[in-house]
Amino acid sequence: MSDNDHGDDSVHFTRATPRRHLALLMWTHMASATRVMPARRRLALVAHDNKKADLLDWTRFNRELLAGHDLVATATTGRLLHDELDLDITCLRSGPLGGDQQLGALISAGQIDVLIFFWDPLEPQPHDPDVKALLRIAVVWNTPVACNRASADFVISSPLLHGSYEALIPSYGEDEPDRSHVA
């Protein structure tokens, strides 16, 4: 009997199902739609205070690539990048004043394609719950996240960042809005 011989859409696993296939089967079953990301991506740039210099240096190195995309940032980070690099950036509120939540809302609405968030793992933040919520919602909606310079280098240099890309949109239930039309 195959996985779908039960007459419904559920996925059935046995102890014999190889572990490496379980995650893929669960993800494929959960994903119900796709959305095509435009070639000009919408990138969110965020950095905690102790990481702003690192993000500024990374952004300076990648300025020409970033200029080809729509950039969104929390207030302080966005002003710093705009003033130092003369990039067009849409600035939201400061992270602790709701900017992280604004970014989460944009991700949920399918309006952010990539999150570059240089967060400080060694310094407690007054808005730690907002930071965790932002990272969580990016994972929920299958949004690529780079949390340090190395992962940001991999994301910015990926051939998948350039040109259109069809992203899987996970389905979490019948009551959620349809995001497949969001581009």
Side-chain angles (χ1 to χ4, degrees):
M1 178 180 286
S2 73
D3 285 345
N4 289 326
D5 288 344
H6 294 277
D8 59 15
D9 289 334
S10 60
V11 176
H12 302 276
F13 301 107
T14 66
R15 290 186 61 129
T17 305
R19 286 182 185 220
R20 67 182 179 276
H21 296 298
L22 290 178
L24 178 60
L25 286 171
M26 289 172 67
W27 176 255
T28 314
H29 181 70
M30 190 173 63
S32 64
T34 60
R35 72 178 171 100
V36 177
M37 291 182 190
R40 185 175 177 91
R41 300 281 194 270
R42 296 156 299 192
L43 308 178
L45 302 169
V46 186
H48 284 155
D49 289 344
N50 291 342
K51 298 293 182 175
K52 287 193 191 319
D54 196 22
L55 181 65
L56 177 61
D57 189 48
W58 180 84
T59 305
R60 183 177 288 118
F61 183 81
N62 292 291
R63 187 195 183 290
E64 295 308 313
L65 285 171
L66 292 168
H69 299 284
D70 296 325
L71 306 177
V72 178
T74 50
T76 311
T77 302
R79 278 194 305 273
L80 173 69
L81 297 176
H82 172 74
D83 292 348
E84 293 287 328
L85 304 173
D86 195 31
L87 285 169
D88 289 332
I89 300 177
T90 300
C91 291
L92 305 175
R93 293 193 181 279
S94 174
L97 300 178
D100 294 337
Q101 291 180 348
Q102 286 179 303
L103 273 177
L106 291 172
I107 290 169
S108 293
Q111 296 175 6
I112 296 293
D113 300 314
V114 175
L115 173 61
I116 307 291
F117 187 179
F118 285 20
W119 60 279
D120 188 349
L122 301 179
E123 187 71 30
Q125 302 295 323
H127 64 300
D128 272 338
D130 297 341
V131 171
K132 184 176 180 182
L134 174 58
L135 294 171
R136 179 189 160 282
I137 208 70
V139 171
V140 164
W141 290 113
N142 195 27
T143 301
V145 179
C147 292
N148 57 37
R149 195 171 187 139
S151 59
D153 285 342
F154 273 88
V155 168
I156 198 80
S157 64
S158 171
L160 298 176
L161 186 66
H162 314 286
S164 67
Y165 174 74
E166 191 169 337
L168 292 174
I169 300 172
S171 173
Y172 293 103
E174 297 176 13
D175 295 334
E176 66 189 57
D178 178 15
R179 290 184 57 206
S180 60
H181 67 283
V182 178

